[in-house]
């Protein structure tokens, strides 16, 4: 029997990331090739014409899995009954801007508008925050959408995870699918710590540690880390626009693995332990953490704490 359609909300749908994301959802990249979807696309009134144009393109693409489209500027209509929400809407980061520069604009978006997100199915709706500062916006959403369990509100560190895998695959000239178990600790920012101490690569003779194969601790502890940390800024400098395609693809990866499961490790930030590296403690009992890693984790945890204080000052 055919599956019941799942309702997927995309806020800021008429923007760059939304434009890349909604056809991926409609094609089954996010929820599977046999899962019908109904797209709920929300944007602000000035984007109405662009939103309607996007709806026309979706109709013209004739996606077999797309069973309905809600294109609206009304939050109640957009949020009601959705199963998955991808919160893309926000002020975009531009060249020369740090994430903190857009915080005052974006944290306000995750306050009054998303009070209405309680209209989602409160015990089952899975929420992914994409707009930066993603960790802090997810925290703000948690505060103003108390009916949604904390574990169901997450933010997009999967983009950083994928960036780390990409750098390792290029360095070793291997398929990115052969690299696994990298971990991104901390904030989705330039303080994040991409950790490959437990990562492995599939080889003809079995899985080998990344550090063993790279055989260059200096590169792994410096250039690799800074490249992943600064990748978003590098793309903005090159494109003069933010990284829409990779963000959209990573959002699909995040939701797909959350809903359907995956054998690979990847750290999915939720709001239950925001100030102390979300999801960190579930690894503490089984993963050794060296002094270098601990210092990197402490630095990004400190930034999360500072962002939290700044965010609440913006709201007040």
């Amino acid at each position: 029997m055919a599956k019941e359609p799942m309702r997927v909300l995309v806020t800021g749908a008429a923007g760059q990331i939304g434009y890349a994301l909604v056809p991926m959802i409609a094609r089954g990249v996010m929820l599977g090739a046999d899962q019908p979807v109904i797209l709920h696309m929300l944007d602000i009134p000035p984007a109405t014409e662009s939103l309607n144009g996007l709806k026309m393109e979706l109709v013209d693409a004739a996606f077999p899995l797309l069973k309905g489209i809600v294109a609206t500027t009304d939050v109640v209509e957009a949020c009601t009954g959705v199963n998955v929400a991808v919160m893309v809407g926000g002020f975009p980061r531009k060249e020369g801007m740090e994430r903190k520069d857009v915080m005052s604009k974006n944290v306000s978006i995750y306050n009054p508008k998303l009070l209405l997100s309680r209209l989602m199915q409160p015990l089952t709706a899975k929420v992914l925050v994409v707009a930066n500062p993603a960790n802090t916006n997810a925290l703000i959403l948690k505060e103003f959408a108390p009916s949604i369990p904390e574990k169901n509100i997450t933010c997009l560190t999967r983009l950083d995870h994928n960036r780390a895998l990409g750098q390792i695959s290029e360095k070793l000239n291997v398929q990115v699918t052969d690299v696994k178990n990298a971990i991104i600790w901390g904030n989705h920012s330039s303080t994040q710590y991409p950790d490959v101490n437990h990562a492995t690569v599939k080889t003809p003779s079995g899985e080998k540690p990344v550090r063993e194969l790279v055989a260059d601790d200096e590169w792994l502890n410096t250039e690799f880390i800074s490249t992943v940390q600064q990748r978003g800024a590098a793309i903005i400098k090159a494109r003069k626009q933010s990284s829409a395609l990779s963000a959209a693809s990573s959002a699909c990866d995040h939701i797909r693995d959350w809903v359907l499961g995956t054998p690979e490790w990847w750290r999915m930030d939720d709001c239950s332990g925001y100030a102390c590296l979300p999801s960190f403690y579930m690894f503490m009992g089984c993963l050794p953490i060296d002094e270098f890693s601990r210092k990197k984790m402490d630095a990004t945890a400190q930034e999360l704490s500072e962002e939290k204080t700044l965010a609440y000052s913006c709201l007040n």
Side-chain angles (χ1 to χ4, degrees), residues 4-292:
E4 286 293 316
M6 291 183 67
R7 294 180 178 268
V8 182
L9 166 66
V10 177
T11 73
Q16 283 194 87
I17 297 177
Y19 188 78
L21 177 60
V22 293
M24 294 183 188
I25 299 171
R27 193 174 288 279
V29 176
M30 176 178 283
L31 293 170
D34 62 345
Q35 178 59 62
V37 295
I38 297 173
L39 272 169
H40 289 225
M41 303 191 302
L42 174 68
D43 219 308
I44 57 176
T48 299
E49 189 173 358
S50 180
L51 189 64
N52 287 335
L54 178 56
K55 179 180 179 180
M56 286 188 282
E57 286 204 76
L58 287 169
V59 171
D60 292 349
F63 294 109
L65 292 173
L66 186 57
K67 302 305 180 183
I69 305 170
V70 177
T72 182
T73 61
D74 180 81
V75 178
V76 176
E77 183 182 12
C79 290
T80 301
V82 301
N83 306 105
V84 173
V86 185
M87 318 307 288
V88 177
F91 185 83
R93 178 181 170 190
K94 300 179 180 179
E95 186 173 0
M97 296 178 69
E98 289 293 327
R99 294 168 66 262
K100 292 178 181 178
D101 297 333
V102 299
M103 181 176 293
S104 61
K105 295 179 181 293
N106 281 343
V107 295
S108 62
I109 293 174
Y110 285 79
N111 175 3
K113 184 177 79 173
L114 294 177
L115 282 169
L116 292 172
S117 63
R118 66 187 62 199
L119 294 170
M120 301 176 189
Q121 298 173 16
L123 298 179
T124 60
K126 288 179 166 54
V127 183
L128 170 61
V129 176
V130 175
N132 281 320
N135 300 65
T136 299
N137 285 338
L139 178 71
I140 298 302
L141 174 57
K142 181 204 74 170
E143 295 292 329
F144 292 96
S147 64
I148 302 176
E150 291 181 356
K151 64 182 178 64
N152 282 16
I153 300 175
T154 64
C155 73
L156 189 66
T157 50
R158 181 58 179 262
L159 176 55
D160 306 306
H161 175 91
N162 287 353
R163 286 168 171 167
L165 298 183
Q167 290 302 305
I168 295 298
S169 71
E170 285 199 332
K171 181 73 171 179
L172 296 175
N173 193 28
V174 298
Q175 294 296 311
V176 70
T177 51
D178 290 336
V179 186
K180 67 178 186 179
N181 295 344
I183 306 171
I184 303 296
W185 299 112
N187 205 4
H188 174 59
S189 76
S190 58
T191 70
Q192 65 177 267
Y193 171 45
D195 177 5
V196 294
N197 287 323
H198 315 286
T200 62
V201 177
K202 182 180 178 181
T203 73
S205 58
E207 291 188 353
K208 303 289 185 182
V210 163
R211 281 199 179 272
E212 176 184 322
L213 294 176
V214 172
D216 187 349
D217 284 348
E218 176 64 22
W219 181 80
L220 286 171
N221 291 341
T222 56
E223 185 180 340
F224 165 72
I225 292 175
S226 62
T227 296
V228 176
Q229 289 174 333
Q230 301 291 339
R231 189 67 162 185
I235 290 171
I236 291 172
K237 183 177 181 179
R239 294 188 67 240
K240 311 306 177 188
Q241 295 177 321
S242 60
S243 47
L245 174 61
S246 54
S249 179
S250 298
C252 287
D253 291 344
H254 179 115
I255 296 295
R256 183 192 65 241
D257 288 352
W258 191 6
V259 173
L260 302 179
T262 175
E264 185 187 352
W265 298 353
W266 63 284
R267 196 181 122 257
M268 181 175 68
D269 278 357
D270 61 35
C271 295
S272 59
Y274 174 86
C276 51
L277 293 177
S279 304
F280 171 70
Y281 288 105
M282 73 178 187
F283 285 103
M284 277 297 288
C286 59
L287 291 182
I289 305 297
D290 61 23
E291 183 178 356
F292 178 86

